[in-house]
Amino acid sequence: MTSVQTDQTRIIVLAIDYSACSSRALKWTAINLVADGDRIFLVHAVNEEHSITTDIEFGEMSVVAAEQSLREKIYERANFNSKEWRESFLRHTSKKVEVSVIVEYGSPGPLIIAKAEALDATMIVCGSHGKGTLSEIFMGSVSTYCLHHAKVPVLVVNKPN
């Protein structure tokens, strides 16, 4: 689905999760960045990489069932919270904007980039956990991933000093 943009319409993809940095990015974007007519897509990735695994042959089926049940609960929670994320964004802005929430399974960085490309986004906004360079080298960072892979500008909202 490719969207048609006018000079007045910007499509902003905002990465969202349950973290304080994500809430800060949402609030900062709503207060400081959006303009009348903008279309905001709050994108939340239900990460499948953090799955439960076992090498115990006889326990594999019960673990797979538990893993699927856990995934479904996490996905349901994200869908439930999507209404709150949307309402929170609208509470923090006086601008006339359209806010949609996208919740999908996938690794956060690649999913955010894919959604930005599919939506023909003007920009991506994400929060920074402020873990530091060493942590990013070993653990990775969604904001760093987006900065390196996005075809559009990426705004990273840092935590206050």
Side-chain angles (χ1 to χ4, degrees):
M1 169 178 100
T2 302
S3 300
V4 177
Q5 294 183 37
T6 66
D7 289 338
Q8 296 86 12
T9 303
R10 295 183 302 173
I11 297 174
I12 300 171
V13 169
L14 174 58
I16 191 83
D17 62 18
Y18 302 103
S19 67
C21 69
S22 177
S23 295
R24 198 171 37 258
L26 181 145
K27 184 176 179 180
W28 190 93
T29 302
I31 294 170
N32 298 297
L33 184 64
V34 297
D36 286 336
D38 284 350
R39 296 177 61 207
I40 314 302
F41 290 88
L42 308 178
V43 177
H44 177 74
V46 177
N47 196 345
E48 291 187 310
E49 289 180 7
H50 300 110
S51 59
I52 303 167
T53 58
T54 183
D55 291 332
I56 304 170
E57 189 176 318
F58 64 85
E60 189 173 327
M61 289 304 290
S62 61
V63 171
V64 169
E67 183 179 339
Q68 182 61 31
S69 175
L70 180 60
R71 278 193 206 138
E72 289 170 4
K73 286 181 177 155
I74 292 169
Y75 189 82
E76 287 171 15
R77 177 181 176 212
N79 275 320
F80 177 79
N81 287 336
S82 66
K83 180 179 177 185
E84 175 55 34
W85 290 328
R86 183 180 182 283
E87 290 173 357
S88 177
F89 192 95
L90 292 171
R91 269 195 312 272
H92 287 99
T93 189
S94 60
K95 305 296 183 184
K96 291 177 174 62
V97 295
E98 178 186 326
V99 181
S100 302
V101 182
I102 298 170
V103 176
E104 289 188 16
Y105 287 112
S107 183
L111 180 66
I112 292 161
I113 296 299
K115 289 298 163 191
E117 290 176 3
L119 294 165
D120 196 21
T122 308
M123 68 182 330
I124 298 169
V125 179
C126 51
S128 172
H129 287 279
K131 293 177 185 171
T133 306
L134 191 57
S135 291
E136 288 180 9
I137 289 170
F138 292 106
M139 297 185 335
S141 162
V142 173
S143 57
T144 300
Y145 185 93
C146 290
L147 285 167
H148 289 285
H149 294 90
K151 296 176 182 171
V152 295
V154 177
L155 176 80
V156 179
V157 179
N158 290 322
K159 67 181 185 180
N161 294 332

